Amino acid sequence: MVKPPPARSAIPGPGRLGLVERTAADELAQLGWTDVGSIELMWALSRAPNADLALRTLSRLADVLGERGWAELDEALRIDKSLRGRLLALFGSSAAFGDHVVAHPDRWRMLTGTLELPDRHTFTVRMLDCVASVPETGGRSDRLIHRAGITGPDAVAALRTTYRDQLMLIAAADLAATVENEPVVPYLEVGERLSDLADAALTAALAVALATVIPDEPCPHDIAVVAMGKCGARELNYVSDVDVIFVAEPADARASRIAGEMMRIGTSAFFEVDAALRPEGKRGELVRTLESHVAYYNRWAKTWEFQALLKARPMTGDLDLGRRYIEALSPLVWTASEREAFVPEVQAMRRRVEELVPEDLRERELKLGKGSLRDVEFAVQLLQMVHGRTDESLRVSNTVEALSALADGGYVGRDDAANLRASYEFLRLLEHRLQLQRLKRTHTLPSPDDRENLRWLARAAHMRPDGRNDSLGVLQSEIKRNSARIRRLHARLFYRPLLESVTRLEKDAVRLSPDAAVRQLAALGYTAPRHALEHLAALSGGASRKARIQALLLPQLLESLGETVDPDGGLLAYRRLSDALYDTVWFLRVLRDEPSVAERLMKVLGTSAYVPELLIKSPDVIRLYAAASTGPRLLEAKPAEVWKAIVTSSSRYDDPARAIAASRSLRRAELARIASADLLGMLSVPEVCEALSSVWSAVLEAALAAVIRGSERTKGPAPARIAVIGMGRLGGAELGYGSDADVLFVCEPLPGADETVALKWAVSVAEQVRSLLGAPSTDPPLEVDLDLRPEGRSGALVRTLESYEAYYTQWAEAWEIQALLRAHTVAGNPELGLRFLHMIDRVRYPEGGVTQDAVREIRRIKARMDSERLPRGADPATHTKLGRGGLSDVEWTVQLLQLQHAHEIESLRNTSTLETLDAIGAAELISAADVELLRDAWITATRARNALVLVRGKPSDQLPGPGRQLAAVASAAGGDSDDASEFLDNYLRVTRRARAVVERVFGGEVNGH
């Protein structure tokens, strides 16, 4: 007969309770929680966020209380469910509070019965009483200035213990619902109580400071302590710096000592007390008079300082003086959005905050970064500053209350505000729970592989299994959902009401008034907000499906545009692009389905005047903004593949015009691809130059072949071979966006052909190539420049190989020999081109090196060029080509060293400036440090020169002065557009150092030359 399984015990064991520590069974036995009468207690323990921690703390407390003391607490836990919920939740959530109660074992009594959280007055009385404080003589009802009867270390110890007691009351009430069916304390109330406690704590710290600094006489100062930040807004965390500003009358050395002592005591006993938000920050005076504060904010304050004043609140000391401080500065807060620097300063501040977060912590950071608490706070404060000037209902300091006021005023949608508030409160809840664990300041989630701490956090945040996921799975899902919702709503908050004001898509949607819409767009960086509204109406107006898709896309697109240097130009470019692609099915779908494509496109459109025109004609390049599994699609095409594609495409046509049109089309797409990748930081300067040079070479090859085919079709076989020799930047594969193609045409009559006929035919071909490529077009120009040919503009367009050899060996001047250093075959007959290069090697790398007379002539020409060729009005410090330490300085220095040493050092026989610099360093002709300085200057100047073309849409060599265009150039060059002055300072520093090298090396101090 089979025995039935034993009946399951009604008394749960440690495993059923979720206890995993090996000591759990012994600790339960120690507490006497092993019988039927303790089942309810045991199950309550199992609901603690960390049941093992709660049990261990109870065991420690029982040891300290002794047999009689534990019996009393045990009986209270069995009778008082509220105590049970508060104590077990507190012990299971916070090792720090567990240690506090074990150190002060009677404190459990504070959590019994009906717990009414103290108000500010009660907190203040308790904090002041613990240091035996009395009101300062001559005190007024609005003057919270007291004098402590206890000072020194005893005062700090008393303050610390009393503060921790009061903090424990708030935490226990806040946590109790995780264990028992206790009321949930609303998020707003938690923040308010924590702020009230901070006010009370600093009131007591001020009392101790006053008694310490002025022990024997009445205080002669009116001192106001103004709370800033989260405490000022009454939304304080459990563990946070408390930001303060001091106002005093008079503001003398003794007032500063009182303030400094208050900060020291507060930091020792409670939390970090920080006065860094005061005028001039940590460098400024700790205490100022009201008049001094007002003078500073009127003359010197930056936008972030006015934004900080949104949360200013008198907290302690002379409250009347504090109120007068708020009344005096408040009008300045509400006009700050009209300041000229408002938009760039706000954008710079937001980016700096994001950059504070290390890359590996961004997904775990609750406070900063995308989809974080700061996103919500920043958005709310910006809207307050924009619209609060005309709407006083928005002048509230608390983030949640301000969000509600914005919804009530019709500045954001009610649903958006409600959803944003829910996500904000969720992230603040997690922040609070993380801080309670050890009472440490933190905003960082545990790492994904720290499942134990994540599971604790899920239970402490009262996550419950949902049928598909356990509490940890629910927590992870909620974190992702709320972070994504904040990111999504961040854009909607600013832009959805704007769109509704011009489209009327939804019947009950929030619509800004025209003036409010203009104000908001101006604050978001649009310098022509009324035109921007017209663009929005044109893009999203009407009832078509495309208009509705645009209306859905535009909030995110506009947010991305708002982060660029020229959102107005970007929005206009996007409108033009959308109009041009109106009948293209894939365009809006790609932007909708691939957010990274949309973000990259807005970055390009809001930075460059060069690329939008190319994209309108070559829109398929936009598809390449997407990422592939192997990396960015913009980088998939290699220069050799592009060269082959251009030449092959044009070879399909016999008509030269059609062939060149085909090569132009591919060139246009390639320029759009290269420039886009450049602007998005995907290509280095040498890679950009190589890609552009390869495109030019391919177009020349395609054009030459097309003209020859056309000639042969109509006039019979070609009588000569032709090679195209690239000179200057083309020969060095160092072209920029605005560079012409400097070339020489070389011909060689075929056997049996008449040389005169062959030469005439070659000249005709060269003229057609130059004419067809240089034909007027809306594309970037294709200028073929022949000015470097023998005898310059008066010389023959084409010469035979023998003619070039005769000229260069008999008549060439020093500068012409120097120009040959960069000669390289780029198109036409490769064998003829190679023979040309071998021929000129004897000229450009002469036996024994260049003569001293030639060196002196080159130096003379360079000096004349420096003084005469710089355009009128140009700044020699910031002219990228001819300026001090610019491209010309570096290239002439490199070329002089080539002329002097390439005859004996073969590695110097190179047309590339950068590769030649490497060879110069390897040969130790100049120091490695000097090589690096010249390289850095060449790359810096080339990057800046390319950026000028990308921003302006046309060639330019002169960096603009400080302002929006310099910021655009800085952004296009991969710098920080928020601080264009840093980009300019770096340019000046790099070129100044390079110029010193040039003066030493080119000037003749190296190797005896």
Side-chain angles (χ1 to χ4, degrees):
M1 186 175 178
V2 179
K3 287 186 176 181
R8 190 177 189 183
S9 172
I11 302 172
R16 286 173 64 192
L17 295 173
L19 298 165
V20 297
E21 296 288 344
R22 285 179 296 179
T23 57
D26 292 339
E27 288 168 343
L28 286 170
Q30 175 199 0
L31 300 181
W33 290 6
T34 55
D35 56 8
V36 173
S38 303
I39 291 175
E40 193 175 340
L41 284 172
M42 287 189 277
W43 284 119
L45 174 68
S46 75
R47 293 191 292 273
N50 184 334
D52 283 291
L53 175 62
L55 177 58
R56 191 181 319 121
T57 306
L58 279 171
S59 174
R60 291 168 58 210
L61 182 57
D63 285 341
V64 173
L65 287 170
E67 187 174 338
R68 289 182 60 187
W70 168 247
E72 182 183 2
L73 173 55
D74 181 58
E75 182 179 0
L77 288 170
R78 294 172 188 273
I79 296 170
D80 187 346
K81 274 193 174 184
S82 295
L83 170 65
R84 187 191 310 164
R86 294 166 194 149
L87 197 66
L88 294 181
L90 188 72
F91 285 178
S93 298
S94 176
F97 276 123
D99 292 343
H100 178 70
V101 176
V102 169
H104 304 88
D106 62 323
R107 294 308 198 265
W108 67 266
R109 300 178 191 279
M110 297 175 66
L111 306 180
T112 59
T114 301
L115 180 60
E116 292 288 339
L117 287 178
D119 57 16
R120 173 176 168 158
H121 174 73
T122 305
F123 279 140
T124 302
V125 169
R126 291 175 182 176
M127 293 302 305
L128 289 170
D129 284 352
C130 81
V131 286
S133 298
V134 295
E136 178 68 351
T137 56
R140 305 186 303 271
S141 60
D142 58 354
R143 197 165 183 257
L144 280 174
I145 298 180
H146 293 68
R147 181 179 293 274
I150 303 172
T151 58
D154 290 343
V156 171
L159 289 170
R160 183 184 295 119
T161 300
T162 305
Y163 175 78
R164 189 65 60 90
D165 286 345
Q166 308 311 305
L167 195 64
M168 180 187 71
L169 291 176
I170 301 171
D174 188 16
L175 292 162
T178 61
V179 172
E180 296 290 358
N181 188 24
E182 289 291 298
V184 174
V185 183
Y187 157 75
L188 278 175
E189 184 177 351
V190 173
E192 288 169 358
R193 294 287 188 247
L194 291 169
S195 302
D196 289 345
L197 177 56
D199 290 1
L202 291 186
T203 299
L206 180 61
V208 176
L210 178 60
T212 303
V213 175
I214 310 178
D216 302 320
E217 58 181 285
C219 177
H221 302 279
D222 288 334
I223 299 180
V225 185
V226 178
M228 306 289 283
K230 281 187 166 58
C231 187
R234 300 191 73 213
E235 52 188 6
L236 195 60
N237 296 334
Y238 279 99
V239 185
S240 176
D241 292 355
V242 171
D243 297 301
V244 297
I245 285 178
F246 294 98
V247 190
E249 304 287 354
D252 57 15
R254 191 156 54 172
S256 292
R257 284 179 58 207
I258 294 171
E261 185 68 9
M262 188 204 90
M263 291 176 63
R264 186 192 67 77
I265 293 164
T267 298
S268 299
F270 320 125
F271 36 68
E272 186 78 23
V273 183
D274 192 343
L277 293 180
R278 67 185 183 267
E280 299 180 77
K282 293 181 179 179
R283 296 172 300 148
E285 294 291 335
L286 183 60
V287 177
R288 287 176 180 248
T289 64
L290 176 56
E291 182 181 6
S292 175
H293 276 287
V294 173
Y296 172 83
Y297 281 100
N298 270 314
R299 294 187 62 187
W300 308 111
K302 296 187 179 298
T303 295
W304 70 264
E305 293 177 280
F306 293 111
Q307 191 169 347
L309 285 173
L310 277 171
K311 297 182 178 296
R313 173 181 62 83
M315 73 182 308
T316 192
D318 191 321
L319 298 180
D320 178 65
L321 178 58
R323 280 190 288 270
R324 285 189 279 127
Y325 170 89
I326 301 297
E327 289 166 3
L329 295 181
S330 183
L332 301 178
V333 174
W334 304 114
T335 57
S337 63
E338 299 174 340
R339 291 158 51 96
E340 185 177 344
F342 178 77
V343 173
E345 285 184 9
V346 165
Q347 291 173 333
M349 180 169 50
R350 184 71 189 95
R351 290 197 187 97
R352 276 197 297 272
V353 166
E354 290 178 3
E355 289 163 3
L356 291 174
V357 187
E359 188 72 38
D360 59 333
L361 293 181
R362 287 186 182 173
E363 294 301 314
R364 296 166 49 200
E365 176 64 41
L366 293 172
K367 182 177 180 181
L368 309 173
K370 299 272 186 191
S372 66
L373 294 167
R374 187 58 58 88
D375 257 352
V376 181
E377 293 163 352
F378 181 84
V380 168
Q381 289 167 25
L382 182 58
L383 289 174
Q384 282 182 277
M385 293 182 77
V386 170
H387 301 296
R389 179 172 60 86
T390 58
D391 188 345
E392 293 188 7
S393 70
L394 303 182
R395 300 180 184 182
V396 293
S397 58
N398 183 281
T399 300
V400 169
E401 292 172 352
L403 193 52
S404 297
L406 287 164
D408 292 342
Y411 301 100
V412 301
R414 289 192 179 278
D415 288 345
D416 290 346
N419 287 324
L420 201 60
R421 172 177 178 168
S423 291
Y424 179 73
E425 292 189 4
F426 172 75
L427 294 187
R428 288 299 303 272
L429 172 69
L430 298 185
E431 182 184 42
H432 282 179
R433 296 299 179 259
L434 287 166
Q435 292 177 348
L436 281 172
Q437 195 173 26
R438 293 180 179 84
L439 285 184
K440 299 291 185 185
R441 185 182 180 210
T442 181
H443 318 283
T444 307
L445 292 165
S447 65
D449 55 359
D450 188 358
R451 297 183 67 81
E452 181 181 348
N453 260 323
L454 283 169
R455 189 169 283 108
W456 161 82
L457 178 60
R459 291 165 64 93
H462 212 184
M463 298 288 107
R464 291 290 180 259
D466 62 1
R468 292 176 300 172
N469 296 301
D470 61 7
S471 58
L472 174 55
V474 171
L475 173 69
Q476 292 171 325
S477 174
E478 284 296 294
I479 290 172
K480 289 179 182 176
R481 185 177 72 86
N482 283 281
S483 182
R485 185 161 70 173
I486 288 174
R487 284 196 296 269
R488 185 176 68 252
L489 290 174
H490 188 261
R492 285 178 59 93
L493 208 66
F494 291 128
Y495 297 107
R496 191 67 189 173
L498 283 170
L499 289 169
E500 291 293 347
S501 67
V502 295
T503 60
R504 303 290 197 270
L505 285 176
E506 297 176 18
K507 182 179 178 182
D508 298 322
V510 170
R511 296 185 182 96
L512 297 180
S513 68
D515 286 345
V518 166
R519 278 200 310 274
Q520 191 151 314
L521 278 167
L524 293 169
Y526 291 84
T527 56
R530 296 189 189 279
H531 289 161
L533 277 179
E534 292 173 9
H535 298 325
L536 296 182
L539 285 163
S540 58
S544 70
R545 183 170 181 273
K546 289 184 183 293
R548 295 189 69 83
I549 294 174
Q550 287 280 21
L552 293 173
L553 287 171
L554 278 167
Q556 194 61 55
L557 299 183
L558 289 169
E559 182 174 43
S560 297
L561 272 179
E563 295 175 356
T564 65
V565 181
D566 185 13
D568 296 87
L571 182 56
L572 173 59
Y574 179 68
R575 178 182 173 182
R576 293 182 60 229
L577 189 60
S578 296
D579 289 345
L581 301 182
Y582 186 81
D583 295 324
T584 304
V585 175
W586 57 265
F587 175 58
L588 293 180
R589 185 178 67 238
V590 166
L591 298 186
R592 181 193 64 197
D593 297 342
E594 301 194 52
S596 63
V597 173
E599 187 174 340
R600 287 170 175 168
L601 179 61
M602 295 306 109
K603 157 79 173 172
V604 168
L605 297 183
T607 307
S608 173
Y610 180 85
V611 179
E613 297 298 326
L614 296 169
L615 290 178
I616 287 172
K617 295 176 183 176
S618 301
D620 281 339
V621 173
I622 296 169
R623 295 176 185 264
L624 303 180
Y625 283 35
S629 58
T630 55
R633 292 191 62 200
L634 282 167
L635 303 185
E636 287 179 342
K638 305 305 178 188
E641 298 167 359
V642 171
W643 189 95
K644 184 177 180 180
I646 292 174
V647 172
T648 302
S649 172
S650 65
S651 68
R652 300 190 184 105
Y653 302 96
D654 291 330
D655 177 25
R658 294 187 65 190
I660 290 176
S663 67
R664 275 182 176 276
S665 176
L666 286 176
R667 171 184 181 260
R668 185 188 307 128
E670 272 306 296
L671 291 179
R673 181 188 70 82
I674 296 164
S676 296
D678 189 3
L679 285 164
L680 295 170
M682 298 176 182
L683 289 173
S684 66
V685 169
E687 287 171 332
V688 170
C689 293
E690 180 191 5
L692 293 173
S693 301
S694 179
V695 170
W696 241 120
S697 173
V699 170
L700 280 169
E701 177 69 33
L704 179 63
V707 171
I708 292 174
R709 282 197 309 275
S711 172
E712 289 182 325
R713 190 177 72 252
T714 59
K715 300 176 182 177
R721 302 183 186 93
I722 297 181
V724 183
I725 308 299
M727 304 288 283
R729 298 189 191 289
L730 178 60
E734 294 171 343
L735 284 181
Y737 295 107
S739 301
D740 295 339
D742 290 306
V743 300
L744 303 176
F745 282 94
V746 187
C747 84
E748 182 179 60
L750 291 173
D754 180 270
E755 183 172 323
T756 303
V757 172
L759 194 56
K760 185 177 180 181
W761 173 84
V763 169
S764 171
V765 168
E767 287 178 336
Q768 285 187 70
V769 168
R770 184 165 68 162
S771 174
L772 287 168
L773 289 178
S777 168
T778 55
D779 290 345
L782 276 163
E783 293 294 335
V784 177
D785 192 335
L786 295 166
D787 287 354
L788 292 179
R789 66 188 185 270
E791 301 179 73
R793 293 181 182 179
S794 60
L797 286 181
V798 184
R799 288 176 181 252
T800 63
L801 185 60
E802 289 75 12
S803 175
Y804 276 112
E805 183 174 17
Y807 178 84
Y808 285 129
T809 55
Q810 295 184 57
W811 309 108
E813 297 183 25
W815 70 267
E816 292 178 291
I817 296 172
Q818 181 183 347
L820 290 176
L821 291 171
R822 304 181 81 178
H824 190 74
T825 306
V826 294
N829 187 281
E831 189 270 337
L832 174 60
L834 184 61
R835 283 192 284 126
F836 176 88
L837 296 180
H838 285 316
M839 179 272 291
I840 64 170
D841 279 351
R842 297 190 296 274
V843 178
R844 57 184 176 176
Y845 312 131
E847 194 69 34
V850 72
T851 66
Q852 282 299 302
D853 287 343
V855 171
R856 280 192 289 272
E857 176 64 11
I858 288 170
R859 289 175 178 152
R860 186 190 67 78
I861 294 171
K862 178 69 166 65
R864 182 178 174 186
M865 186 175 71
D866 287 348
S867 63
E868 296 180 6
R869 287 189 58 193
L870 197 68
R872 180 177 296 178
D875 182 350
T878 55
H879 195 277
T880 58
K881 183 178 179 181
L882 301 174
R884 294 189 288 267
L887 294 173
S888 179
D889 266 0
V890 176
E891 289 166 358
W892 279 61
T893 301
V894 168
Q895 289 159 21
L896 180 59
L897 290 171
Q898 285 180 286
L899 290 168
Q900 291 172 326
H901 301 284
H903 67 285
E904 57 185 357
I905 304 173
E906 286 196 14
S907 60
L908 296 185
R909 300 176 186 181
N910 195 316
T911 61
S912 163
T913 303
L914 294 182
E915 290 176 12
T916 305
L917 267 172
D918 289 340
I920 288 169
E924 299 183 350
L925 298 179
I926 62 176
S927 70
D930 284 351
V931 167
E932 194 55 38
L933 290 173
L934 293 177
R935 166 187 289 277
D936 196 8
W938 191 91
I939 288 176
T940 299
T942 302
R943 180 184 288 118
R945 195 175 188 224
N946 282 342
L948 280 164
V949 180
L950 291 173
V951 168
R952 300 183 62 190
K954 56 185 178 181
S956 178
D957 295 314
Q958 178 66 61
L959 287 178
R964 182 181 285 262
Q965 193 159 77
L966 179 64
V969 172
S971 178
D976 184 357
S977 62
D978 296 331
D979 191 1
S981 60
E982 184 179 330
F983 166 80
L984 186 59
D985 288 345
N986 179 69
Y987 181 90
L988 293 171
R989 181 171 56 251
V990 167
T991 53
R992 184 175 63 250
R993 291 172 178 172
R995 178 68 174 196
V997 177
V998 169
E999 288 174 347
R1000 279 190 287 105
V1001 177
F1002 190 82
E1005 297 175 21
V1006 175
N1007 295 334
H1009 290 286

